Amino acid sequence: MTRENWTIIRDEISRDIRSGRLSAGDQLPTELQLADRFEIGRHSVRRALEALAREGKISIEQGRGTFVADTPRLTYQIGKRTRLRRNLIPQGVDVTSQLVSAVRVAAPDEIAQALLLNSGAQVLESQRITLANDVPVAFGSAYHCAERFPDFAERRDVLGSTTDTYRSFGIEDYVRLHTSIYSRSAKPDEAKTLKQHVDVPVLVVTAIDATPDGTPISTSRVIWSAARVTFTMEQSDG
Amino acid sequence: MTRENWTIIRDEISRDIRSGRLSAGDQLPTELQLADRFEIGRHSVRRALEALAREGKISIEQGRGTFVADTPRLTYQIGKRTRLRRNLIPQGVDVTSQLVSAVRVAAPDEIAQALLLNSGAQVLESQRITLANDVPVAFGSAYHCAERFPDFAERRDVLGSTTDTYRSFGIEDYVRLHTSIYSRSAKPDEAKTLKQHVDVPVLVVTAIDATPDGTPISTSRVIWSAARVTFTMEQSDG
DNA sequence: GTTCATTTGTGCGTATGTATA
DNA sequence: TTATACATACGCACAAATGAA
């Protein structure tokens, strides 16, 4: 079995990126130019680019061109005390998080169960998007009991940190109770929100936070770009 | 934007699988038959099948045909006390794990660091593959200090369980110290080992286990089929 | 605001290679 | 050996998004 055409160009571009011959943000030649240069069909070029996009090494943008990705992989540490900002900022990453929407809804079953609420109880769904160096890395929703935290989203927006917001509700400390992670392919709208190619998979992270005595205070479901994050867990306190 | 051709057939097959009209193990029509039936080109059919394979819903086998996947997604719980067998067997899954090879090697830097050994110390690398209901779900290597656990792999093979093997070395209990997870696309040989399509991504899980006092006893690097597993973590003891 | 060239996205037809039974 | 079915590959046409004239 001789090497397939498309893997040759994939590996060459990949090597050029690693070696620094192509650097973050650089525009690649167009598909036709690459096809010309490597003397292969455009299909093979597209296949190579698709593979690189899936690995998060390049970013393909219709109508504009193809660029070397400029988003290094983050390490996100999940531990007993998981804190977004304390986690990412030490990596020299500028982390911001924006409130997209906040609505009161009747809790879906799995949300009610996670928060130990009666089925159909009112919860506050806060949808947020997280950016690292202005690049989206994750988005999703957190759910809080609407009775206990009626204006959680507003306070969170003003205070700028989840830890401070809980404190304003009289909760001095909180811990991660449960986390689950699985990988799947991205839906078109998810890819759009994360400003990434549809072919890049996502990691779906579901979590439950609680007060130190074990009372659940929030549950969340967050979609992460699989190419932009590595999760680590310290089982001995975090 | 009207729906793309290939998403139509992808969604129809996906629906047929969910509804039970196609059941696990069933063979799908050939690509040409599907192209005929949906009145689209074979390229579009292949694209749809590729997407389904990537999600783990079907299994494409060159020369044989395309089949509905018969491997449900496992839930693998990572906790302070992570135990493969205790984890998977309660799900009604028949878990077996086979020793592929066991060799003494000079520890690569990251292995030596994880085990707190001197750079270049001898370690035992045990390569294993894990099957659930006879389908491969993961494979990888565990590393033990060769001085302390000279015949770990042999004992593990005879005793059939890691917990019992440690016990035979006088270690009554061990805990998970650290775990990291990231997603990437599969390499051709990894896909082959996992008997899955190259397009299905893998999850790379690196872990360190230790005695309860925090002394590292093993580190491992395991490649999981992203389509066949969900990881969950209980931060309060596991 | 519109038009136009550029660039990526979708789609079809066809030929040939490779793995399996 | 032969037939079947998936894999790779090329060429071509047109659609859709972007950005500049």
Side-chain angles (χ1 to χ4, degrees):
Chain A
M1 185 171 72
T2 69
R3 268 281 284 300
E4 294 100 331
N5 275 348
W6 69 271
T7 64
I8 296 173
I9 161 169
R10 177 198 61 189
D11 294 344
E12 172 137 349
I13 295 179
S14 189
R15 194 147 20 84
D16 284 352
I17 294 176
R18 249 200 320 278
S19 77
R21 282 193 43 188
L22 286 169
S23 40
D26 282 4
Q27 179 161 14
L28 270 65
T30 69
E31 295 176 350
L32 284 171
Q33 288 168 343
L34 288 170
D36 256 25
R37 180 191 304 177
F38 287 89
E39 297 182 301
I40 58 176
R42 190 160 81 102
H43 280 310
S44 300
V45 172
R46 283 180 59 73
R47 189 157 173 190
L49 296 179
E50 185 188 319
L52 292 167
R54 189 173 292 129
E55 296 167 25
K57 290 182 178 154
I58 63 174
S59 134
I60 305 176
E61 298 168 35
Q62 183 175 359
R64 294 221 312 135
T66 304
F67 306 84
V68 179
D70 55 355
T71 48
R73 202 185 269 270
L74 296 175
T75 299
Y76 186 72
Q77 183 178 317
I78 298 173
K80 201 163 179 180
R81 284 178 178 72
T82 297
R83 304 289 185 267
L84 179 68
R85 300 170 61 76
R86 209 182 60 194
N87 234 326
L88 263 27
I89 290 173
Q91 294 177 46
V93 180
D94 174 37
V95 185
T96 58
S97 149
Q98 294 170 4
L99 183 66
V100 176
S101 70
V103 287
R104 267 177 84 113
V105 293
D109 278 354
E110 72 273 20
I111 303 293
Q113 273 173 33
L115 295 178
L116 301 179
L117 298 173
N118 293 325
S119 180
Q122 289 282 307
V123 290
L124 182 74
E125 173 178 0
S126 321
Q127 207 180 331
R128 305 192 68 87
I129 180 166
T130 302
L131 307 121
N133 294 340
D134 294 321
V135 179
V137 290
F139 73 92
S141 292
Y143 299 85
H144 291 88
C145 170
E147 198 178 335
R148 182 160 184 198
F149 306 102
D151 56 348
F152 187 92
E154 291 89 329
R155 292 203 202 178
R156 167 71 180 73
D157 225 37
V158 172
L159 295 171
S161 111
T162 303
T163 306
D164 290 340
T165 310
Y166 280 131
R167 202 162 281 145
S168 83
F169 280 107
I171 295 171
E172 291 301 320
D173 187 22
Y174 66 102
V175 296
R176 177 62 60 92
L177 251 194
H178 175 91
T179 313
S180 93
I181 300 182
Y182 72 93
S183 159
R184 62 166 168 77
S185 36
K187 295 168 188 167
D189 58 311
E190 296 171 340
K192 193 160 283 184
T193 303
L194 292 172
K195 289 186 184 155
Q196 71 179 19
H197 199 272
V198 235
D199 289 329
V200 181
V202 295
L203 294 172
V204 183
V205 178
T206 310
I208 302 176
D209 282 335
T211 50
D213 68 353
T215 311
I217 51 178
S218 91
T219 180
S220 60
R221 184 174 160 287
V222 179
I223 313 283
W224 289 77
S225 160
R228 297 181 185 150
V229 70
T230 296
F231 290 100
T232 75
M233 287 141 278
E234 302 300 330
Q235 270 74 16
S236 57
D237 265 29
Chain B
M1 185 173 72
T2 68
R3 268 282 284 300
E4 294 102 330
N5 274 350
W6 68 273
T7 64
I8 297 173
I9 161 169
R10 177 198 61 189
D11 294 344
E12 172 137 349
I13 295 178
S14 189
R15 195 148 19 84
D16 283 352
I17 294 175
R18 248 200 319 281
S19 76
R21 281 193 45 188
L22 286 169
S23 40
D26 282 4
Q27 179 161 13
L28 270 64
T30 69
E31 295 176 349
L32 284 170
Q33 287 168 344
L34 287 169
D36 255 27
R37 180 193 303 176
F38 287 90
E39 296 180 302
I40 58 179
R42 190 160 85 98
H43 281 310
S44 301
V45 172
R46 282 181 60 75
R47 190 159 174 189
L49 295 180
E50 186 187 318
L52 291 168
R54 190 172 292 127
E55 297 167 25
K57 289 181 179 155
I58 63 172
S59 134
I60 304 177
E61 298 169 34
Q62 183 176 0
R64 295 219 314 134
T66 303
F67 306 85
V68 178
D70 55 356
T71 50
R73 202 184 268 270
L74 297 174
T75 299
Y76 186 71
Q77 183 178 318
I78 298 173
K80 202 162 177 178
R81 283 178 178 73
T82 298
R83 301 290 184 270
L84 178 69
R85 300 172 59 78
R86 207 180 63 194
N87 235 325
L88 262 28
I89 291 172
Q91 295 176 47
V93 180
D94 175 37
V95 185
T96 58
S97 150
Q98 293 169 5
L99 183 66
V100 176
S101 70
V103 288
R104 267 177 86 113
V105 292
D109 279 354
E110 70 273 21
I111 303 292
Q113 272 173 33
L115 294 179
L116 303 179
L117 297 174
N118 293 326
S119 180
Q122 289 282 306
V123 290
L124 183 73
E125 172 177 3
S126 320
Q127 206 181 334
R128 304 191 69 86
I129 180 166
T130 303
L131 308 123
N133 293 340
D134 294 322
V135 179
V137 291
F139 73 93
S141 292
Y143 299 84
H144 292 88
C145 168
E147 197 177 336
R148 182 160 183 200
F149 305 102
D151 57 346
F152 187 91
E154 291 88 332
R155 291 204 201 179
R156 167 71 179 76
D157 224 38
V158 172
L159 294 170
S161 111
T162 303
T163 306
D164 289 341
T165 310
Y166 280 130
R167 201 162 283 145
S168 82
F169 281 106
I171 295 171
E172 292 300 319
D173 188 21
Y174 67 102
V175 296
R176 176 63 58 94
L177 251 193
H178 175 92
T179 313
S180 92
I181 301 182
Y182 72 93
S183 159
R184 63 166 170 76
S185 35
K187 295 169 188 165
D189 58 310
E190 295 171 340
K192 193 160 284 184
T193 304
L194 292 172
K195 288 187 185 155
Q196 71 180 19
H197 200 272
V198 228
D199 288 331
V200 180
V202 295
L203 294 171
V204 183
V205 179
T206 309
I208 301 175
D209 281 334
T211 51
D213 68 354
T215 310
I217 50 177
S218 91
T219 180
S220 60
R221 185 174 159 286
V222 180
I223 312 283
W224 290 78
S225 159
R228 297 181 185 151
V229 70
T230 297
F231 290 101
T232 77
M233 287 141 279
E234 303 299 331
Q235 269 75 16
S236 56
D237 266 28

